[in-house]
Structures are given as structure tokens and as C-alpha cells.
Amino acid sequence: MAKTTILQRWKRFTLEEKIHTLPNGVETSHITLSHPGAVLILPVANDGKLVLLRQYRPSIESWIYEFPAGTLESNEDRLACAKRELAEEAKLAASEWHNLGESLPAPGFCNESQYLFLAKNLSLAEADMDEDEVIEVVHFSVEEVKQMIVTNEIKDSKTIVAFCRAQLMGLIT
């Protein structure tokens, strides 16, 4: 087992350097952002519109459209995390959940897995938003979201992956 050196810790993330032996036998040093995993929720309102967030993201110093999402707490069940994030970010609860699978957003430098869900039969919920989140809840039709992806108005990869998976699975039309 190769030795892992922790270069930096922040919240639940670590920057780790490790010597790897690649499948071709080459030994190399690789730095990985170690991430506990995350969930994304594609909420479908009772009128069929999709619930997105217009959220300010300091890393890119810009507003983006995305579905509600969040990082897993230590040993947290994925669906429990999805329910918590939907309540915190969109002030919604859902009685119907569909698993859309898993996505790897940046496997070249990060070990994060994103677990994707579709939520239906929505109702209002109360939960406190994180202090560092600036969010507006917005609703768009499936066709509007398609066009927003095509015109690059929606750039968030996890949102695009979940939307495509839900369409391919026949859960949104």
C-alpha cells in the first residue's frame, strides 16, 4: 500500500499526494482532492416544471443555474442527504424518489462521486439554508431547460448529467 501524504485539510475535504503504480507499471506521484461524495436532486414540480436554483458560486464569481445538491455528511445515507438538501436549498419535500445513478464529475484530480435522484410529488418544507449560500428558486419547463443547455445558459455538469439521465430513463419528457 502506497503512503498517502495529506497536503491540506479543509472542512470535509483533503488534498492528498500518493505514489501510484499505474497498470503499465510506471510509478507516479498523483495529487487527489479527496471528497466525501455528494447528492443532486432533480425536482419535478406538480405542474411538471423542473425546479432549479439560481445560485451564486464564489469559485467562479458568477451566478449559475443548477439543481439542488450538497455534500454528504460523515456516514450519511445518500437518500437522507438528498431529502435534507432539497429542504434546505429549495424549501421542498418529496414523497416519490427515483435513483438516477452515479456520476464522476472530475476523476482526473478528484475522487468525488455524485449520487443523482429525481424527486416528485413535492410539498413545501422548512429547513435552514447554509449561511454561505445565496440562492433563488426558479421553475422551468423541460423544453426551457433543454434550450438553456443548448444555448449554454446551463453550464453545470451535474445538472446536465441528471437532466440527460432522467430523459433517457423516461422520467421527464
Side-chain angles (χ1 to χ4, degrees):
M1 185 78 175
K3 181 182 177 215
T4 300
T5 302
I6 305 297
L7 303 175
Q8 184 70 39
R9 287 186 197 276
W10 180 73
K11 292 188 177 182
R12 289 166 286 184
F13 311 103
T14 57
L15 196 58
E16 303 172 350
E17 183 175 22
K18 188 179 202 178
I19 303 299
H20 289 271
T21 302
L22 302 176
N24 63 2
V26 172
E27 212 172 74
T28 185
S29 172
H30 186 79
I31 295 176
T32 299
L33 176 61
S34 185
H35 190 290
V39 297
L40 173 132
I41 308 95
L42 189 168
V44 180
N46 298 337
D47 64 1
K49 289 192 174 184
L50 306 184
V51 180
L52 284 94
L53 308 177
R54 182 175 178 267
Q55 183 165 358
Y56 184 79
R57 292 294 191 174
S59 293
I60 59 170
E61 298 179 358
S62 185
W63 291 86
I64 65 170
Y65 288 106
E66 60 186 310
F67 291 125
T71 304
L72 287 158
E73 299 288 345
S74 181
N75 298 316
E76 185 177 24
D77 175 79
R78 295 167 189 164
L79 183 57
C81 181
K83 290 176 179 181
R84 175 178 55 78
E85 288 294 340
L86 183 61
E88 286 177 7
E89 293 188 343
K91 305 294 185 217
L92 294 170
S95 63
E96 183 181 338
W97 291 85
H98 299 271
N99 187 335
L100 299 176
E102 180 181 353
S103 180
L104 302 172
F109 69 89
C110 182
N111 66 358
E112 178 184 8
S113 287
Q114 295 175 340
Y115 304 97
L116 314 174
F117 295 93
L118 182 137
K120 288 185 169 182
N121 295 323
L122 303 181
S123 58
L124 294 178
E126 282 299 320
D128 292 329
M129 190 178 303
D130 290 342
E131 182 179 286
D132 63 349
E133 293 179 317
V134 181
I135 293 173
E136 298 171 8
V137 178
V138 292
H139 293 227
F140 295 103
S141 70
V142 171
E143 192 56 43
E144 288 171 320
V145 171
K146 270 189 215 176
Q147 285 309 306
M148 292 169 77
I149 292 169
V150 167
T151 62
N152 208 36
E153 194 172 354
I154 293 177
K155 301 175 192 176
D156 180 61
S157 62
K158 66 189 179 304
T159 294
I160 295 168
V161 169
F163 180 83
C164 291
R165 288 243 179 108
Q167 282 221 301
L168 291 169
M169 294 169 77
L171 295 169
I172 57 173
T173 52

Short mmCIF file of all heavy atoms in Angstrom, two decimals, residues 142-166:
data_model
loop_
_atom_site.label_atom_id
_atom_site.label_comp_id
_atom_site.label_asym_id
_atom_site.label_seq_id
_atom_site.Cartn_x
_atom_site.Cartn_y
_atom_site.Cartn_z
N VAL A 142 -39.49 21.50 -19.09
CA VAL A 142 -38.47 20.61 -19.63
C VAL A 142 -37.90 21.19 -20.91
O VAL A 142 -36.67 21.21 -21.11
CB VAL A 142 -39.04 19.19 -19.86
CG1 VAL A 142 -38.05 18.31 -20.62
CG2 VAL A 142 -39.43 18.54 -18.53
N GLU A 143 -38.75 21.72 -21.77
CA GLU A 143 -38.28 22.31 -23.03
C GLU A 143 -37.40 23.53 -22.79
O GLU A 143 -36.39 23.72 -23.46
CB GLU A 143 -39.49 22.67 -23.92
CG GLU A 143 -39.12 23.01 -25.35
CD GLU A 143 -38.33 21.92 -26.06
OE1 GLU A 143 -38.67 20.73 -25.94
OE2 GLU A 143 -37.33 22.27 -26.75
N GLU A 144 -37.77 24.35 -21.81
CA GLU A 144 -36.93 25.51 -21.48
C GLU A 144 -35.55 25.08 -20.98
O GLU A 144 -34.53 25.67 -21.36
CB GLU A 144 -37.63 26.39 -20.43
CG GLU A 144 -38.81 27.16 -20.96
CD GLU A 144 -39.61 27.84 -19.86
OE1 GLU A 144 -39.82 27.24 -18.78
OE2 GLU A 144 -40.02 29.00 -20.10
N VAL A 145 -35.51 24.04 -20.14
CA VAL A 145 -34.23 23.55 -19.64
C VAL A 145 -33.39 23.00 -20.80
O VAL A 145 -32.19 23.27 -20.88
CB VAL A 145 -34.42 22.51 -18.52
CG1 VAL A 145 -33.10 21.84 -18.15
CG2 VAL A 145 -35.05 23.16 -17.29
N LYS A 146 -34.02 22.26 -21.71
CA LYS A 146 -33.30 21.77 -22.91
C LYS A 146 -32.64 22.92 -23.64
O LYS A 146 -31.46 22.87 -23.99
CB LYS A 146 -34.27 21.09 -23.88
CG LYS A 146 -34.47 19.64 -23.69
CD LYS A 146 -35.27 19.11 -24.88
CE LYS A 146 -36.20 18.03 -24.43
NZ LYS A 146 -37.06 17.53 -25.51
N GLN A 147 -33.40 23.98 -23.89
CA GLN A 147 -32.87 25.13 -24.62
C GLN A 147 -31.77 25.84 -23.83
O GLN A 147 -30.80 26.31 -24.41
CB GLN A 147 -34.00 26.10 -24.98
CG GLN A 147 -34.86 25.62 -26.12
CD GLN A 147 -34.03 25.21 -27.33
OE1 GLN A 147 -33.21 25.98 -27.84
NE2 GLN A 147 -34.23 23.98 -27.78
N MET A 148 -31.92 25.90 -22.52
CA MET A 148 -30.90 26.54 -21.69
C MET A 148 -29.59 25.74 -21.72
O MET A 148 -28.50 26.33 -21.65
CB MET A 148 -31.41 26.68 -20.25
CG MET A 148 -32.55 27.69 -20.12
SD MET A 148 -33.35 27.63 -18.50
CE MET A 148 -32.15 28.52 -17.50
N ILE A 149 -29.68 24.43 -21.86
CA ILE A 149 -28.48 23.60 -22.01
C ILE A 149 -27.86 23.85 -23.38
O ILE A 149 -26.66 24.08 -23.50
CB ILE A 149 -28.81 22.11 -21.78
CG1 ILE A 149 -29.17 21.86 -20.31
CG2 ILE A 149 -27.63 21.22 -22.22
CD1 ILE A 149 -29.75 20.49 -20.02
N VAL A 150 -28.69 23.84 -24.42
CA VAL A 150 -28.21 24.04 -25.79
C VAL A 150 -27.53 25.41 -25.95
O VAL A 150 -26.49 25.52 -26.60
CB VAL A 150 -29.36 23.87 -26.81
CG1 VAL A 150 -28.98 24.36 -28.19
CG2 VAL A 150 -29.81 22.42 -26.85
N THR A 151 -28.10 26.43 -25.35
CA THR A 151 -27.55 27.79 -25.50
C THR A 151 -26.46 28.11 -24.47
O THR A 151 -25.99 29.24 -24.42
CB THR A 151 -28.68 28.85 -25.39
OG1 THR A 151 -29.27 28.75 -24.09
CG2 THR A 151 -29.72 28.67 -26.47
N ASN A 152 -26.08 27.12 -23.67
CA ASN A 152 -25.01 27.26 -22.67
C ASN A 152 -25.41 28.17 -21.51
O ASN A 152 -24.55 28.64 -20.77
CB ASN A 152 -23.71 27.75 -23.33
CG ASN A 152 -22.49 27.29 -22.57
OD1 ASN A 152 -22.46 26.19 -22.04
ND2 ASN A 152 -21.49 28.14 -22.51
N GLU A 153 -26.70 28.39 -21.33
CA GLU A 153 -27.15 29.15 -20.16
C GLU A 153 -27.05 28.27 -18.91
O GLU A 153 -26.81 28.76 -17.82
CB GLU A 153 -28.59 29.62 -20.37
CG GLU A 153 -29.02 30.66 -19.39
CD GLU A 153 -30.39 31.26 -19.73
OE1 GLU A 153 -30.96 30.95 -20.79
OE2 GLU A 153 -30.88 32.04 -18.91
N ILE A 154 -27.22 26.96 -19.09
CA ILE A 154 -26.94 25.99 -18.03
C ILE A 154 -25.62 25.34 -18.39
O ILE A 154 -25.50 24.66 -19.42
CB ILE A 154 -28.06 24.93 -17.90
CG1 ILE A 154 -29.35 25.58 -17.40
CG2 ILE A 154 -27.62 23.81 -16.94
CD1 ILE A 154 -30.54 24.64 -17.29
N LYS A 155 -24.61 25.54 -17.53
CA LYS A 155 -23.26 25.03 -17.76
C LYS A 155 -22.87 23.98 -16.73
O LYS A 155 -21.86 23.30 -16.89
CB LYS A 155 -22.24 26.18 -17.67
CG LYS A 155 -22.47 27.29 -18.64
CD LYS A 155 -21.50 28.42 -18.38
CE LYS A 155 -21.91 29.65 -19.15
NZ LYS A 155 -21.05 30.79 -18.86
N ASP A 156 -23.62 23.88 -15.66
CA ASP A 156 -23.28 22.99 -14.55
C ASP A 156 -23.38 21.53 -14.99
O ASP A 156 -24.45 21.05 -15.36
CB ASP A 156 -24.24 23.27 -13.39
CG ASP A 156 -23.96 22.39 -12.21
OD1 ASP A 156 -22.84 22.46 -11.66
OD2 ASP A 156 -24.86 21.60 -11.83
N SER A 157 -22.26 20.82 -14.95
CA SER A 157 -22.21 19.46 -15.49
C SER A 157 -23.12 18.49 -14.75
O SER A 157 -23.77 17.65 -15.38
CB SER A 157 -20.78 18.95 -15.53
OG SER A 157 -20.24 18.88 -14.23
N LYS A 158 -23.20 18.59 -13.42
CA LYS A 158 -24.05 17.64 -12.68
C LYS A 158 -25.52 17.82 -13.03
O LYS A 158 -26.29 16.86 -13.10
CB LYS A 158 -23.80 17.73 -11.17
CG LYS A 158 -24.20 19.01 -10.51
CD LYS A 158 -23.71 19.07 -9.06
CE LYS A 158 -24.08 20.37 -8.38
NZ LYS A 158 -23.60 21.58 -9.07
N THR A 159 -25.91 19.07 -13.29
CA THR A 159 -27.28 19.36 -13.70
C THR A 159 -27.57 18.78 -15.08
O THR A 159 -28.62 18.16 -15.30
CB THR A 159 -27.51 20.89 -13.68
OG1 THR A 159 -27.41 21.33 -12.31
CG2 THR A 159 -28.86 21.28 -14.25
N ILE A 160 -26.64 18.93 -15.99
CA ILE A 160 -26.80 18.40 -17.35
C ILE A 160 -26.84 16.88 -17.33
O ILE A 160 -27.69 16.27 -17.98
CB ILE A 160 -25.69 18.93 -18.27
CG1 ILE A 160 -25.83 20.46 -18.42
CG2 ILE A 160 -25.73 18.25 -19.63
CD1 ILE A 160 -24.63 21.14 -19.07
N VAL A 161 -25.97 16.25 -16.55
CA VAL A 161 -25.96 14.79 -16.46
C VAL A 161 -27.30 14.27 -15.91
O VAL A 161 -27.89 13.34 -16.46
CB VAL A 161 -24.78 14.29 -15.59
CG1 VAL A 161 -24.92 12.81 -15.26
CG2 VAL A 161 -23.46 14.55 -16.29
N ALA A 162 -27.78 14.87 -14.82
CA ALA A 162 -29.04 14.41 -14.23
C ALA A 162 -30.20 14.61 -15.19
O ALA A 162 -31.07 13.73 -15.32
CB ALA A 162 -29.30 15.15 -12.91
N PHE A 163 -30.24 15.75 -15.87
CA PHE A 163 -31.30 16.02 -16.84
C PHE A 163 -31.28 14.97 -17.96
O PHE A 163 -32.32 14.39 -18.29
CB PHE A 163 -31.13 17.43 -17.43
CG PHE A 163 -32.18 17.80 -18.43
CD1 PHE A 163 -33.41 18.29 -18.02
CD2 PHE A 163 -31.95 17.66 -19.79
CE1 PHE A 163 -34.39 18.63 -18.94
CE2 PHE A 163 -32.92 17.99 -20.72
CZ PHE A 163 -34.14 18.48 -20.29
N CYS A 164 -30.11 14.70 -18.50
CA CYS A 164 -30.00 13.70 -19.59
C CYS A 164 -30.38 12.31 -19.11
O CYS A 164 -31.10 11.59 -19.81
CB CYS A 164 -28.58 13.70 -20.15
SG CYS A 164 -28.16 15.19 -21.07
N ARG A 165 -29.92 11.93 -17.94
CA ARG A 165 -30.27 10.60 -17.40
C ARG A 165 -31.78 10.48 -17.20
O ARG A 165 -32.37 9.46 -17.54
CB ARG A 165 -29.55 10.35 -16.08
CG ARG A 165 -28.09 10.09 -16.20
CD ARG A 165 -27.74 8.68 -15.73
NE ARG A 165 -26.33 8.46 -15.88
CZ ARG A 165 -25.46 8.40 -14.89
NH1 ARG A 165 -25.88 8.53 -13.64
NH2 ARG A 165 -24.20 8.18 -15.13
N ALA A 166 -32.40 11.51 -16.63
CA ALA A 166 -33.84 11.46 -16.40
C ALA A 166 -34.60 11.35 -17.71
O ALA A 166 -35.57 10.60 -17.80
CB ALA A 166 -34.30 12.70 -15.61
#
